[in-house]
Amino acid sequence: MLIDFRLVKNTYLVCGYTDLRKGIDGLASIVVNNYQLDLFSDSVFLFCGRRVDRFKALYFDGEGFILLYKRYDQGKLKWPRHEGEAKQ
């Protein structure tokens, strides 16, 4: 199955630090408990740890959850650590 994330309805960027040792269940609990968002909507949720060269994405494709992990070989992300930075 090929997913074009450009066509996903919502993209949520979770500000701050997330423990990237968490798997699907741990990241899903952050989305539900901290933000009261619907995991099963057409949304991708993005998380970053303390190291800004890697992030995780959580997405429900209608059949199950997909957990993506990206680590940059070179370069870093400019990840907002609080809501004010995200709005900028």
Side-chain angles (χ1 to χ4, degrees):
M1 172 190 281
L2 179 64
I3 299 168
D4 187 346
F5 285 103
R6 296 173 297 178
L7 303 176
V8 173
K9 183 177 177 184
N10 301 300
T11 300
Y12 293 99
L13 194 139
V14 177
C15 296
Y17 306 106
T18 301
D19 182 354
L20 292 187
R21 294 175 296 179
K22 293 182 184 293
I24 291 171
D25 294 333
L27 296 174
S29 72
I30 291 171
V31 171
V32 172
N33 296 329
N34 295 6
Y35 302 102
Q36 294 75 45
L37 293 170
D38 180 12
L39 289 166
F40 305 100
S41 63
D42 187 22
S43 301
V44 62
F45 303 92
L46 304 173
F47 306 87
C48 185
R50 291 196 182 276
R51 298 180 67 174
V52 291
D53 65 340
R54 57 197 72 193
F55 70 96
K56 283 188 174 181
L58 182 65
Y59 179 71
F60 183 75
D61 70 354
E63 295 178 349
F65 285 98
I66 297 172
L67 181 61
L68 301 170
Y69 179 74
K70 172 85 175 192
R71 184 180 72 191
Y72 289 99
D73 188 39
Q74 296 179 4
K76 296 182 179 185
L77 298 163
K78 184 171 174 143
W79 200 270
R81 296 304 179 183
H82 54 79
E83 186 179 336
E85 287 181 354
K87 289 184 177 180
Q88 291 175 359

